[in-house]
Amino acid sequence: MVSRRSFLGTLFAACVAAPLAGVAATSEAHAQRGPEPWRDPRRPPPPPHHPRRPPPPPPRHERRPPPRRGYRWSPGVWEWNPRRRSYVWRSGRWVSHHPGRR
């Protein structure tokens, strides 16, 4: 028969060890995934690449306009349009540049 004292001691040890095991599992999962400081933790991760979606066409070479003070050039990209089920070219544009921001 188990004494009351040994039962309470085992119960106490289990209560202390359970949260620590959860912390270790969480840090292991975080270590496997890798830190992603640019991703907002409240947003869901992007969907995986759809196997039936073709790869995007090669980038277009567009003429870069003259530089503008306080802005940086963001080149154009191919963007998937689910309604059209094809890629759509989004032209490059000037984006306001903030020092210290990437």
Side-chain angles (χ1 to χ4, degrees):
M1 185 167 198
V2 179
S3 70
R4 183 176 178 185
R5 185 174 191 160
S6 66
F7 175 74
L8 290 176
T10 307
L11 183 64
F12 177 74
C15 290
V16 170
L20 295 177
V23 169
T26 304
S27 63
E28 272 184 36
H30 183 68
Q32 289 175 356
R33 183 177 159 141
E36 297 173 340
W38 63 87
R39 181 171 288 165
D40 185 0
R42 295 170 295 191
R43 295 184 80 188
H49 181 70
H50 198 279
R52 287 183 273 173
R53 182 183 299 176
R60 290 183 179 176
H61 297 286
E62 49 188 6
R63 192 167 75 71
R64 185 176 182 169
R68 293 177 56 188
R69 185 181 175 106
Y71 290 85
R72 64 181 176 88
W73 177 251
S74 178
V77 295
W78 287 104
E79 185 177 276
W80 180 256
N81 186 325
R83 270 190 270 152
R84 293 176 64 179
R85 296 184 184 194
S86 65
Y87 285 95
V88 177
W89 178 255
R90 298 290 177 205
S91 298
R93 62 191 180 108
W94 290 104
V95 180
S96 63
H97 176 69
H98 300 284
R101 196 203 267 174
R102 293 183 196 194

